[in-house]
Amino acid sequence: MQLLPTATSTDVQKQQPRVAVLPVGSFEQHGKYLPLITDTAIACVIAQEMAAAYPVHLLPPITISCSHEHAAFPGTVSISARTLYAVIDDIRASLARSGIHKLVIVNGHGGNYVLSNVVQEANVDGPAVSLFPLGLDWDRAREHGGLASDRHADMHAGEVETSILLHAAPELVREGYADADHDGGARPFLLMHGTGNYTESGVIGFPSLASAGKGKAILESLTGDFAEHLRALGEAAVPTTPDADGHIHNPVIDRLRTVDRSQASRRFGGTVLAWQLSRCSAPTTSPFPSLCRRLWNTVRCSRVPGWSSSSWTFSAIRQTRTSVI
Ligand SMILES: [Zn+2]
């Protein structure tokens, strides 16, 4: 598995992204069968999936974060919450200097509470930073993947984490997960007494239930939900696919370019709308916000299960027609 992004400066220049995606992982124990880099690998996998589906600038991960609750286990390394805050602040300032003012933080470690404060502060003057996946995104992903455990009971090195790695990086999963289930109970003082107070092995969850198929379904669900975060940031959420030369195309826009203007007018309920689409405007910058928002809300991959670039295009256009006209 390739953890780091391999884009060149020229790629980014061509793409002209408006949103950056920053994976935040950790370096902490994950039982005897998952590596210390588990959260980093998972954050990178999720961020890569998003970057493959949407026009965002994929950043390399932060690989050490706030894992103090795991300090009693060998190998775990942490930085303070204030350092993590400062690093993200610096990254945002650097991105802004290069014209990228929106950021999605893809967090792979639940102990990074400070990230919520980063988001809380960053958005005071308007949407700028989103934290992904949120609890609701994880719940939907668990449901979509048919996971048997819930988010509280399956907290660490369990069904969800093992499933994602079995799908995306099976070489990182060692033998032993099939008989490592551990119910950590209510855990009210986890942050005071540490993870070790609730588990001897370091596991809190049900890795025996994990499968690569569940991991794949989890990522599919998250890819759909990511669109909500882009929209919340005031950005267009239409997926993009690169061609063989690495050029990014927007399937809806490409399709529209092949349609005659008058035909587009009939199909999409007005030349204004077609014109808006051909300019790929985000709803918030449109002079006809409610009409365009309605359209953009319809054109979303999360409502088209199992989309691919071509099937997604036609499904989206079909849905758009029935919704808008
Ligand atoms: Zn983890």
Side-chain angles (χ1 to χ4, degrees):
M1 181 207 167
Q2 170 69 43
L3 283 177
L4 300 175
T6 56
T8 64
S9 177
T10 315
D11 294 338
V12 179
Q13 193 180 19
K14 273 185 203 154
Q15 189 192 16
Q16 298 197 323
R18 291 173 49 85
V19 180
V21 172
L22 174 67
V24 178
S26 75
F27 198 69
E28 68 184 31
Q29 72 82 18
H30 275 79
K32 64 182 179 183
Y33 48 87
L34 297 184
L36 294 160
I37 63 161
T38 291
D39 292 345
T40 300
I42 287 173
C44 286
V45 165
I46 295 170
Q48 283 170 6
E49 292 276 326
M50 303 313 127
Y54 301 95
V56 294
H57 181 31
L58 179 61
L59 301 175
I62 294 176
T63 56
I64 298 179
S65 63
C66 307
S67 301
H68 305 91
E69 73 275 29
H70 297 282
F73 291 86
T76 300
V77 181
S78 291
I79 57 175
S80 68
R82 62 184 174 277
T83 301
L84 182 56
Y85 180 102
V87 170
I88 292 176
D89 219 27
D90 285 354
I91 290 170
R92 283 193 62 215
S94 177
L95 285 167
R97 269 180 240 117
S98 63
I100 300 175
H101 298 278
K102 306 281 176 74
L103 175 68
V104 180
I105 300 169
V106 173
N107 180 34
H109 172 48
N112 291 332
Y113 303 100
V114 69
L115 296 178
S116 296
N117 294 109
V118 168
V119 173
Q120 181 190 38
E121 289 178 29
N123 295 308
V124 170
D125 295 323
V129 180
S130 189
L131 186 58
F132 181 79
L134 296 172
L136 196 61
D137 301 316
W138 280 121
D139 287 341
R140 276 198 285 253
R142 282 179 174 277
E143 196 183 331
H144 182 68
L147 273 68
S149 60
D150 65 48
R151 194 149 45 93
H152 173 80
D154 192 59
M155 181 197 96
H156 194 70
E159 185 179 14
V160 73
E161 291 191 311
T162 309
S163 291
I164 292 172
L165 289 189
L166 280 174
H167 164 65
E171 70 278 11
L172 296 181
V173 182
R174 298 189 193 180
E175 290 298 315
Y177 69 87
D179 54 6
D181 290 0
H182 176 72
D183 185 345
R187 314 187 300 274
F189 300 111
L190 185 118
L191 296 182
M192 192 191 303
H193 296 142
T195 311
N197 200 51
Y198 299 97
T199 168
E200 207 175 310
S201 67
V203 177
I204 297 177
F206 304 92
S208 72
L209 304 173
S211 73
K214 289 178 180 177
K216 184 168 185 279
I218 288 166
L219 290 171
E220 279 169 5
S221 174
L222 293 178
T223 302
D225 279 356
F226 191 79
E228 302 272 3
H229 289 252
L230 290 178
R231 276 193 289 275
L233 286 170
E235 297 297 317
V238 176
T240 56
T241 47
D243 65 15
D245 298 326
H247 296 120
I248 300 292
H249 295 283
N250 178 308
V252 170
I253 307 310
D254 285 352
R255 171 68 180 145
L256 270 178
R257 286 199 183 107
T258 69
V259 175
D260 174 77
R261 174 61 69 93
S262 61
Q263 214 185 345
S265 169
R266 280 199 302 279
R267 283 189 181 186
F268 295 99
T271 42
V272 168
L273 198 52
W275 176 80
Q276 282 294 331
L277 269 169
S278 68
R279 285 173 55 90
C280 195
S281 302
T284 49
T285 59
S286 161
F288 304 94
S290 68
L291 185 61
C292 284
R293 190 170 296 120
R294 197 169 151 205
L295 180 68
W296 283 106
N297 283 340
T298 307
V299 180
R300 47 192 289 199
C301 68
S302 57
R303 291 290 174 267
V304 186
W307 63 272
S308 65
S309 57
S310 57
S311 70
W312 184 84
T313 304
F314 292 108
S315 303
I317 287 174
R318 203 163 41 243
Q319 289 195 11
T320 302
R321 287 179 61 189
T322 53
S323 163
V324 173
I325 296 173

